[in-house]
Amino acid sequence: MQTATQGSVLANRNFRLLFGGSTVSALGDQFTLVALPWLVLKLTGDPAALGLVLAAMALPRAIFMLIGGAVVDRMSPRRVLLAARGANALLVSLLALLVWSGSINMPMVYAIALGIGLSTAFAYPASSSILPQLMEPTQLASANALIMGMRQLSVFVGPLLAGLVIGSGAHAAVARGPADAHGLGLAFGIDAVSFLASLGSLMMIRLHTDDHPRRTQGSVLAAVAEGVREVWADVPLRAFILYIGAVTVFVGGPIQVGLPVLADTRLDLGAASLGILMTANGGGMVLGGFLSKLATRLIRGRLGLMVLCIDSVAGLGLVMLGWVHSTWSGAVLLAATGVLAGIAQIAIISWIQQRVSREMMGRTMSLLMFTFMGLGPVSAALAGTLLKIISLPALFAGSGLALTVIALGCLSNAALRSIGAPKPDEAVG
């Protein structure tokens, strides 16, 4: 392992390579996250179809996520991530070519969404397991802060750029295909090119596990079962994962499906409105990340209590989103909820990383991701179907009120409240 024992984490060449490649790739990902929902709406005009595409992407990701975590824990996470991102690059490139040529149709979109979901099932646990092999333990906190800050910054900048790129091609001549086809193809092409930076940086990094994989016993499925048992035995961690599952059912789908529909049907800037909304939320999360350490100190480390209070307020913000008719008022609202989400996200991820052993990190993170990515497809499909029979404000209102009620109800759960709480002898003074 090649690390710097003193000074800035950026003195570590391997970390600089990982950070640089990941930064470009994360920014490129935002183009697809904006362009794909917009493409579906332009092809079909049907929110239910958007829900099904999101489900097609999330379902294989959820099914194979636990297997991906077990594979990462017994192999080199760098090699797993290299293969997964290579597959993603090919799929997004294919999507760009099909849109540009006017040959795209919904069966192709479903097939590509399935492929992207499968590859990311391995990419997510692999990317979360590389840092412990690159950095000294004392540098992990700083390295994680830089990585997470970079990702949040990409969410701040990327959607706005994507919306502008898609909108810029609205009047370009394309022989066949959906409206905005030229801009959509360009957005997917930018994401495809961005993968080259990530692949190049990963190829120059070397990990100890590249040549010395961990000794493991039993099958991959046995390793998955071991990971589930370890997490289930940790009562606060188990309670948090179950809570995240409940929140995902009521909030994940309405946000994924509702925001593109809101931008397409009620706001004034089209794809640019969607980009601005997502950028505002990402910007709020960046600010929330900076405030997370201060907030954790103010509440004396009681992370569980903080998260539940934040979610109860965020639910009311989601209710208000249903009555938004202006791009900029929606942006202000999503920026505010983004600040709250950023505070909670950084604090909880840091808590999990400090709590879980390095040998179990891939499986633990994959189980956490499996919870909301497994339920996410159900929520997205349900939200798309509901929009056929209820209004958009009703969808946001029901989702937001459900989040507030769940969060307030969970305040009585001792396991959730105990997350991050100081020991009795630490609470005095």
Side-chain angles (χ1 to χ4, degrees):
M1 180 170 61
Q2 186 180 3
T3 61
T5 57
Q6 295 180 346
S8 169
V9 294
L10 292 175
N12 183 330
R13 175 182 176 274
N14 278 338
F15 178 75
R16 290 198 306 272
L17 288 168
L18 178 68
F19 182 76
S22 297
T23 297
V24 177
S25 180
L27 183 61
D29 288 344
Q30 299 305 313
F31 283 78
T32 291
L33 289 175
V34 174
L36 186 59
W38 202 253
L39 171 64
V40 174
L41 289 177
K42 295 296 108 175
L43 284 173
T44 67
D46 186 359
L50 175 55
L52 289 175
V53 169
L54 295 174
M57 186 181 298
L59 191 59
R61 186 170 57 198
I63 292 173
F64 289 93
M65 184 70 70
L66 296 180
I67 294 176
V71 169
V72 167
D73 279 342
R74 61 173 55 205
M75 293 178 59
S76 164
R78 184 191 71 89
R79 289 182 174 173
V80 175
L81 186 58
L82 193 60
R85 286 188 174 169
N88 260 337
L90 291 175
L91 290 167
V92 175
S93 298
L94 176 60
L95 187 55
L97 292 173
L98 289 171
V99 172
W100 264 325
S101 67
S103 304
I104 191 68
N105 56 47
M106 284 307 297
M108 294 177 181
V109 173
Y110 288 125
I112 291 174
L114 283 168
I116 292 175
L118 180 60
S119 63
T120 52
F122 293 84
Y124 282 171
S127 62
S128 67
S129 301
I130 286 182
L131 274 185
Q133 296 193 37
L134 292 181
M135 313 304 298
E136 296 289 351
T138 55
Q139 294 182 313
L140 279 175
S142 297
N144 278 314
L146 276 176
I147 292 288
M148 286 186 282
M150 171 273 295
R151 289 174 181 168
Q152 290 173 345
L153 186 60
S154 73
V155 175
F156 175 63
V157 177
L160 177 58
L161 295 177
L164 293 175
V165 166
I166 295 170
S168 69
H171 304 293
V174 177
R176 302 185 308 276
D180 296 337
H182 186 274
L184 285 165
L186 183 58
F188 290 126
I190 290 173
D191 187 20
V193 172
S194 75
F195 275 110
L196 298 179
S198 176
L199 295 172
S201 66
L202 286 171
M203 291 177 68
M204 291 187 285
I205 293 172
R206 297 298 299 176
L207 299 180
H208 179 73
T209 49
D210 285 338
D211 303 311
H212 303 85
R214 299 186 182 107
R215 294 182 179 179
T216 56
Q217 294 180 344
S219 65
V220 170
L221 293 179
V224 170
E226 179 188 7
V228 173
R229 287 194 299 268
E230 289 280 343
V231 171
W232 193 257
D234 188 327
V235 177
L237 184 56
R238 178 181 72 199
F240 176 73
I241 289 178
L242 292 175
Y243 171 75
I244 286 297
V247 169
T248 299
V249 169
F250 290 99
V251 177
I255 289 293
Q256 283 185 301
V257 175
L259 281 184
V261 174
L262 175 66
D264 187 37
T265 60
R266 296 175 58 182
L267 301 186
D268 50 346
L269 301 177
S273 290
L274 179 58
I276 290 170
L277 293 180
M278 295 177 68
T279 292
N281 188 250
M285 292 184 69
V286 172
L287 178 58
F290 284 118
L291 297 175
S292 184
K293 188 174 183 179
L294 174 62
T296 301
R297 187 184 305 122
L298 291 176
I299 53 94
R300 297 180 64 83
R302 293 177 173 86
L303 302 183
L305 183 62
M306 180 182 73
V307 169
L308 293 174
C309 291
I310 282 176
D311 283 352
S312 65
V313 174
L316 299 179
L318 187 55
V319 173
M320 296 172 60
L321 189 61
W323 304 103
V324 164
H325 287 84
S326 162
T327 299
W328 299 109
S329 60
V332 170
L333 183 59
L334 285 172
T337 56
V339 171
L340 298 176
I343 291 173
Q345 182 185 57
I346 298 297
I348 286 294
I349 288 178
S350 298
W351 173 73
I352 293 174
Q353 289 177 330
Q354 294 169 8
R355 189 176 186 89
V356 176
S357 68
R358 183 180 300 180
E359 291 73 19
M360 292 294 300
M361 186 64 67
R363 280 166 285 183
T364 300
M365 297 306 294
S366 68
L367 185 59
L368 177 63
M369 296 170 187
F370 170 82
T371 302
F372 60 84
M373 290 180 181
L375 296 174
V378 178
S379 181
L382 180 60
T385 302
L386 283 175
L387 279 176
K388 288 179 171 293
I389 57 177
I390 66 174
S391 66
L392 187 62
L395 177 70
F396 281 134
S399 174
L401 290 175
L403 175 59
T404 297
V405 169
I406 292 171
L408 291 176
C410 287
L411 285 172
S412 62
N413 185 286
L416 280 172
R417 290 200 320 272
S418 70
I419 291 177
K423 297 177 182 178
D425 58 343
E426 297 174 338
V428 179

